[in-house]
Amino acid sequence: MSIDRLGLVVHGGRPEAVSGARIVRDWCTRHGIGCVDIDVWQGQGSRLSAHEEARSAGNPDLIVTLGGDGTFLRGARIAAHSDSRVLGVDVGRVGFLTETPVAEVERALDAVQAGKSACEERMVLMMRASKLLEIPTHMEEVLCYGRGPALPQPEQRAPSQGAGEDSWGLALDVTALNDVVVEKLARDHQVSVGVYIAGRLLASYSADGVIVATPTGSTAYSFAAGGPVLSPRMRALVFTPVAPHMAFNRTVIAAADEPVALCVLPHSGRAVVSVDGQPRGILDPGDWIGVAASPRPLRLVRLAPANFYGRLRDRMRLTDAPATALDGEASPMFRPASALPDDMGHLQLPPPSP
């Protein structure tokens, strides 16, 4: 991959991220590559939409994020609109999305520029709704407390040919890498939601909220609500209710081509819609949103084969009972020094040890 223009998203509150950003800028200067800071709201003015940020940055080929998963999600939101690749540099604490240590950022950029990096695709979500989403001005300060001002109201994408907007809703310019959440607005009033999967009613839930997550987002809010962990290489929609008042409180995993619709029922309280943790609008009783897999994936830069399960073990601090602990680090079957058997050539396995 040849880099002509690079976008930089930095967590300004972390010294390691700030110093890493200087390394990236110096690298760009030495290589004659344009470098621009994007999505760096510092407390003045309003925030831009992902489309506006990508356009103002000149639609970079590569977006580098320095921070934790929150910073990465900001960069991913922009990359999804410009079809850029994303390199996540890790200075976070519990990150699953960023894998390149800040000390290796220059080596990583050299590898990308030399074509020695790989591209890993992740499924993202798109959204339709019965109306345009917005956050009333008087609610913004409370809903966005600690996050700065709200993101702009999601714009409507061009409607699909032959699709009447009265039946299919409005196609919103929204992309979610982790999840779309509908949750109660008032502490003392639950949200009641009818959940439809692939056009069929699954159940009506009275709950604190409901989550539709990607496999990437299965280790985020969905996991905290009791949902399962999915390999990020999968394509699926993970529906998880949050504190439901009903006996059936399990996660349902739908296929990637099975959209999930959430309709706020007439007797429900108002609900807030969040996308990757960012409040994006208020739903009234009778409103609905539809969440589906996007046909365009997010493209991540990888310098080595992903080690998701090792990261899961490390980040979740999984420990073994002393009585069941294995001696040494040898893994049965994965992976001997001999040639790979013919019947295992289609499997995803780690590379041989050097």
Side-chain angles (χ1 to χ4, degrees):
M1 173 186 177
S2 177
I3 307 171
D4 295 320
R5 190 167 182 81
L6 184 147
L8 197 55
V9 182
V10 185
H11 191 306
R14 295 185 178 171
E16 306 98 318
V18 175
S19 62
R22 287 196 292 267
I23 295 173
V24 174
R25 295 188 189 99
D26 290 344
W27 183 90
C28 288
T29 299
R30 293 198 307 271
H31 290 79
I33 293 171
C35 179
V36 60
D37 288 328
I38 53 180
D39 191 32
V40 286
W41 182 82
Q42 296 294 337
Q44 296 179 352
S46 60
R47 300 179 67 180
L48 302 176
S49 68
H51 176 75
E52 290 169 333
E53 285 169 338
R55 184 175 57 189
S56 64
N59 293 313
D61 311 294
L62 177 70
I63 293 177
V64 178
T65 71
L66 291 108
D69 281 359
T71 307
F72 184 89
L73 288 171
R74 289 159 57 193
R77 183 172 62 89
I78 302 163
H81 285 261
S82 59
D83 202 26
S84 308
R85 295 191 184 188
V86 187
L87 172 64
V89 180
D90 185 18
V91 296
R93 300 180 183 87
V94 195
F96 277 92
L97 300 173
T98 55
E99 293 193 0
T100 301
V102 67
E104 298 183 16
V105 63
E106 191 166 1
R107 182 182 70 85
L109 291 172
D110 287 337
V112 173
Q113 183 74 336
K116 296 181 179 179
S117 63
C119 177
E120 177 185 345
E121 294 187 344
R122 294 284 183 94
M123 191 191 91
V124 297
L125 302 175
M126 62 182 186
M127 185 192 300
R128 283 181 172 264
S130 56
K131 67 178 184 181
L132 289 174
L133 299 179
E134 62 178 337
I135 297 177
T137 304
H138 68 280
M139 294 184 180
E140 181 176 326
E141 183 177 357
V142 173
L143 292 178
C144 300
Y145 179 78
R147 299 185 178 96
L151 290 168
Q153 173 181 317
E155 299 176 349
Q156 181 181 0
R157 290 187 284 113
S160 303
Q161 292 184 354
E165 293 301 296
D166 58 339
S167 58
W168 294 102
L170 304 176
L172 301 183
D173 194 14
V174 169
T175 300
L177 175 59
N178 268 354
D179 49 44
V180 174
V181 179
V182 174
E183 53 193 336
K184 65 182 184 181
L185 185 60
R187 183 175 180 272
D188 61 346
H189 205 317
Q190 287 196 312
V191 63
S192 296
V193 181
V195 178
Y196 297 77
I197 298 181
R200 302 290 184 179
L201 178 65
L202 171 67
S204 296
Y205 288 81
S206 179
D208 284 359
V210 292
I211 306 167
V212 181
T214 64
T216 296
S218 69
T219 53
Y221 190 9
S222 178
F223 175 82
V229 174
L230 275 66
S231 166
R233 300 180 64 246
M234 293 181 64
R235 285 180 51 82
L237 276 71
V238 185
F239 168 76
T240 302
V242 182
H245 278 219
M246 59 187 298
F248 184 73
N249 60 357
R250 299 294 191 266
T251 292
V252 176
I253 300 175
D257 60 354
E258 295 177 327
V260 177
L262 308 173
C263 180
V264 182
L265 300 178
H267 60 277
S268 173
R270 302 178 80 190
V272 58
V273 180
S274 297
V275 178
D276 284 345
Q278 294 284 333
R280 302 306 305 270
I282 301 297
L283 297 180
D284 294 302
D287 294 336
W288 60 264
I289 63 169
V291 182
S294 171
R296 294 173 57 186
L298 180 70
R299 301 185 298 162
L300 311 185
V301 171
R302 290 290 186 249
L303 304 182
N307 182 16
F308 171 73
Y309 299 103
R311 180 164 288 256
L312 179 67
R313 179 178 175 84
D314 178 56
R315 296 305 197 196
M316 296 299 182
R317 301 181 180 179
L318 303 181
T319 58
D320 306 310
T324 62
L326 295 173
D327 292 330
E329 296 294 329
S331 300
M333 189 168 73
F334 311 115
R335 106 150 256 181
S338 57
L340 191 68
D342 292 340
D343 64 336
M344 296 179 65
H346 65 290
L347 301 180
Q348 180 75 14
L349 298 173
S353 300

